[in-house]
Amino acid sequence: MTEEMVAALADFEKGDFTPRETLALRFATLMAQDHHKLDDAFFSGLREQFTDAEIIELGMVTGQFIGFGRLIAALDLENPRQPEG
């Protein structure tokens, strides 16, 4: 990803992403923020752009990053203290 693409993630729906990338970002956002909205209608649209294997891979990678972020927060490693001395 380019720096411009990273900056565009804040409002990815209006960014310069392909429809497939936008859908993957929408999936990741819903996984992180409100996974109950990942209903049959959403998955029907997802299957128009991704194979079942790609959906599993997208879900696994997304879940790993969400879990890693939560672990970092739980261990208070987001702003680690520097050793004194």
Side-chain angles (χ1 to χ4, degrees):
M1 291 184 66
T2 65
E3 290 294 324
E4 291 80 20
M5 291 173 80
V6 172
L9 288 174
D11 194 10
F12 68 86
E13 297 282 355
K14 295 179 183 177
D16 191 24
F17 296 99
T18 67
R20 186 173 151 98
E21 290 168 337
T22 300
L23 188 55
L25 289 166
R26 193 175 301 135
F27 173 81
T29 299
L30 288 173
M31 280 278 291
Q33 295 177 355
D34 191 359
H35 66 278
H36 295 290
K37 289 185 180 176
L38 294 171
D39 57 13
D40 290 342
F42 184 87
F43 276 101
S44 178
L46 201 63
R47 285 191 179 94
E48 291 176 10
Q49 294 288 326
F50 295 92
T51 66
D52 286 344
E54 289 173 323
I55 293 169
I56 294 293
E57 183 176 1
L58 182 61
M60 292 298 294
V61 170
T62 300
Q64 287 176 317
F65 278 102
I66 292 168
F68 184 68
R70 290 182 181 171
L71 176 63
I72 294 297
L75 297 176
D76 196 27
L77 297 176
E78 294 174 296
N79 299 301
R81 292 179 296 203
Q82 297 297 318
E84 293 182 25

